[in-house]
């Protein structure tokens, strides 16, 4: 279940990252296209809101990227983590080594791995929450900027 949650969080972050990236470009384009020689206060405010929205979308991009970063932490040597030395052995020696494992050692390795996955899951969802909240704030700023531009 933990691995499924990690995969789900990464997938959602990828979608949000694509949206954020497009919105950053949109906001910057709106800012650049909104300059005129003589601007009133509302026009300047709209341009400022476009910049703030772009900055908030960039914050969301950052946390979307930190969500999908690999987070496996190397600790003590175990028999579960794919980079463990036991997996570098030829298949015959690997099978032989795994068959000799003590049941208690196997159980401890599994529990340690589950603990690591829970920490990864917790961190990923924390970063994703910041990312989604930043995107929501950015979208609100973008709507305010567009409304201000319509009034002008």
């Amino acid at each position: 279940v933990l691995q499924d949650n990690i995969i789900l969080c990464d997938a959602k972050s990828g979608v949000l990252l694509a949206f954020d990236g497009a919105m950053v470009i949109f906001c910057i384009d709106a800012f650049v296209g909104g300059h005129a020689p003589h601007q009133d206060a509302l026009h300047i405010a709209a341009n400022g809101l476009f910049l703030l929205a772009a900055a908030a979308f960039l914050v969301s991009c950052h946390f979307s990227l930190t969500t999908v970063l690999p987070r496996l932490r190397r600790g003590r040597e175990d028999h579960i983590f794919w980079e463990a030395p036991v997996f570098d052995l030829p298949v015959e020696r690997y099978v032989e080594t795994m068959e000799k494992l003590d049941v208690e050692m196997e159980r401890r390795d599994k529990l340690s791995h589950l603990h690591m996955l829970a920490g990864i899951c917790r961190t990923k969802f924390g970063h994703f929450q910041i990312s989604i909240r930043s995107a929501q704030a950015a979208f609100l700023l973008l709507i305010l900027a567009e409304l201000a531009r319509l009034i002008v």
Side-chain angles (χ1 to χ4, degrees):
V1 172
L2 289 172
Q3 190 65 39
D4 291 341
N5 284 325
I6 289 169
I7 292 167
L8 179 65
C9 190
D10 284 350
K12 287 179 178 181
S13 279
V15 171
L16 184 58
L17 180 60
F19 174 77
D20 288 339
M23 296 312 293
V24 167
I25 292 168
F26 177 85
C27 291
I28 291 172
D29 184 59
F31 172 77
V32 171
H35 279 357
H38 303 286
Q39 296 180 344
D40 60 9
L42 195 55
H43 209 106
I44 293 170
N47 283 337
L49 287 170
F50 280 123
L51 280 180
L52 286 173
F57 279 122
L58 281 172
V59 168
S60 183
C61 283
H62 169 74
F63 282 98
S64 286
L65 286 170
T66 60
T67 299
V68 298
L69 282 174
R71 298 205 190 291
L72 292 178
R73 298 178 216 119
R74 293 187 189 154
R76 62 178 194 81
E77 187 178 315
D78 66 19
H79 298 89
I80 296 173
F81 183 54
W82 64 272
E83 281 191 335
V86 71
F87 294 109
D88 290 333
L89 298 173
V91 70
E92 297 82 19
R93 287 207 43 225
Y94 164 76
V95 171
E96 180 182 311
T97 302
M98 295 303 282
E99 287 176 341
K100 290 180 183 176
L101 268 184
D102 178 278
V103 174
E104 187 57 36
M105 173 67 98
E106 226 177 307
R107 184 174 181 277
R108 181 172 166 70
D109 285 350
K110 285 179 186 175
L111 291 174
S112 294
H113 193 71
L114 281 174
H115 186 268
M116 179 187 67
L117 288 177
I120 291 168
C121 202
R122 195 172 22 260
T123 302
K124 281 183 175 286
F125 275 94
H127 283 234
F128 181 67
Q129 184 176 26
I130 294 169
S131 180
I132 197 81
R133 297 293 182 238
S134 299
Q136 287 173 324
F139 198 67
L140 179 63
L141 290 168
L142 177 58
I143 289 169
L144 292 174
E146 287 291 350
L147 289 173
R149 189 163 68 170
L150 285 174
I151 295 171
V152 174

